[in-house]
Structures are given as C-alpha cells and as structure tokens.
C-alpha cells in the first residue's frame, strides 16, 4: 500500500483492468479512501450526480441501485436528499464494509460490473454508477445489465471520463443500445472537474438515460 495519498489513485488505475487485482487494491485502500478522495482530491461527483438523480426520479419512494458503490459516498448523498430504498454493489468487500457502516443502504452485495448481476429483470427504478467508468475499471458491457435490471420508464445515471467514453467502447455501446430502442438519452452534462484539488486536469461528464 502506497504511503503517499496522491499516488494511491494512480496505483489503483495501474491494476491493468484485472478484476482480482483491482479488488485487492481497493480492499487495501478502503479504510483511507474517504479521507483521501474528499480531503486531498476534493471529490464532488457524489453530490453532483445525486442532485441530478433528484431532478429525474419522481418522489423519494423509489428503489435505487448504487452500482460500483465503493465506500458509499453516493448513497450517503442520496440518503441526505431523502432517498432511503438504496442497494449497493461493488467488487471489493473492503469497500462494501465501509459502505455498510454508513447505515444508508438496505443491503450491500459483492458483484462485479461487466458480468451478470444477481437481480431480477426490472428490479430498480434507477441505477446510479459514479466514478466507476474510468481507467482500468468497469467495461461498457456493464450497461447491458443496467438496462435489464431497470424498470421500463426508470433511469440510468452514470459518470464517465471523456477519454474512456471515446477509447473503451462506451461511445459505440451507448449508441447501439439507443438504436435498438433499449433506452433513450435524456441528459448529458458538460465536462467538468471531478477531483478539482488533486487532479484538476481530470474531467468527467454525466449521462442520464431512460430505460424503454
């Protein structure tokens, strides 16, 4: 485990996209993650995306999956806005333990994005995925399962780095799913800084799709 918090993000990114190695690194980072990402990097994505969710999902009695939940920062933000029927999944048990300790999720489960998820079809009113479509992390194939488990008329919210969108198959996947009428795009934000203190040159955008 690296001592310098500024290098820990790069250390995780350098896992090479191997799920097993990524899991091990997040397990090691879990106890320091919130402090690192908030204090050193000034992480704003959970609050920003949660506000978008609140604008699109009707009422607060909706069932939401936090996919790639990590330590539960998104769940914490959603809960503060009044959403209480929250489920979390992540590939790292260490990160999920931190999420569980926040007390905002109905349940937390270990699952890997890009592989079949252990949920029934049409299980959720909304799926939220924040900070996970980045270098060496979840693949574009994750979106197929997001659509399957989202109720028709429900919404899928995710952030993504522009370079990952262009280079890792997301651009093609998103367009194909729209052409097949599996979903329709209802919002795309401008690119903005997600880690303004620690990585001011790193930008993301947020997409919102309605499941059909």
């Amino acid at each position: 485990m690296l001592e310098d918090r500024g290098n820990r993000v790069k250390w995780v990114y350098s896992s090479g996209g191997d799920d097993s190695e990524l899991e091990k690194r997040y397990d090691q980072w879990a106890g320091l993650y919130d402090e690192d990402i908030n204090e050193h990097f000034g992480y704003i994505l959970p609050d920003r995306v949660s506000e978008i969710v609140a604008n699109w999902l009707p009422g607060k009695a909706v069932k939401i999956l936090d996919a790639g939940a990590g330590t539960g920062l998104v769940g914490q933000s959603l809960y503060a806005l009044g959403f209480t029927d929250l489920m979390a999944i992540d590939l790292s048990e260490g990160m999920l333990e931190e999420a569980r300790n926040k007390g905002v999720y109905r349940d937390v489960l270990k699952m890997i994005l890009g592989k079949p998820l252990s949920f029934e079809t049409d299980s959720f009113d909304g799926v939220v995925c924040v900070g996970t479509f980045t270098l060496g992390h979840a693949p574009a194939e994750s979106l197929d399962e997001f659509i399957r488990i989202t109720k028709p008329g429900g919404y899928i919210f995710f952030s993504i780095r522009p370079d990952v969108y262009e280079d890792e198959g997301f651009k093609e996947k998103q367009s194909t799913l729209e052409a097949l009428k599996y979903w329709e795009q209802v919002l795309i934000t401008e690119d903005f800084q997600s880690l303004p203190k620690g990585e001011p040159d790193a930008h993301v955008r947020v997409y919102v799709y309605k499941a059909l």
Side-chain angles (χ1 to χ4, degrees), residues 65-110:
L65 176 67
D66 185 0
T71 62
L73 294 175
V74 175
Q76 204 169 35
S77 293
L78 289 170
Y79 194 86
L81 292 173
F83 296 100
T84 57
D85 194 353
L86 305 173
M87 175 87 70
I89 60 171
D90 199 88
L91 89 168
S92 164
E93 187 58 52
M95 299 290 273
L96 285 174
E97 184 61 28
E98 297 294 324
R100 186 178 292 111
N101 290 338
K102 286 184 169 62
V104 299
Y105 295 104
R106 181 164 53 81
D107 201 1
V108 302
L109 299 169
K110 183 177 178 180

Side-chain angles (χ1 to χ4, degrees), residues 84-155:
T84 57
D85 194 353
L86 305 173
M87 175 87 70
I89 60 171
D90 199 88
L91 89 168
S92 164
E93 187 58 52
M95 299 290 273
L96 285 174
E97 184 61 28
E98 297 294 324
R100 186 178 292 111
N101 290 338
K102 286 184 169 62
V104 299
Y105 295 104
R106 181 164 53 81
D107 201 1
V108 302
L109 299 169
K110 183 177 178 180
M111 296 185 198
I112 298 176
L113 299 185
K115 297 183 179 180
L117 302 178
S118 301
F119 298 115
E120 297 292 330
T121 297
D122 301 342
S123 289
F124 297 95
D125 299 291
V127 174
V128 182
C129 186
V130 175
T132 307
F133 293 145
T134 186
L135 300 175
H137 284 55
E141 288 73 24
S142 307
L143 299 174
D144 294 312
E145 281 291 89
F146 288 0
I147 290 173
R148 182 185 68 80
I149 64 176
T150 301
K151 299 173 184 177
Y155 291 91

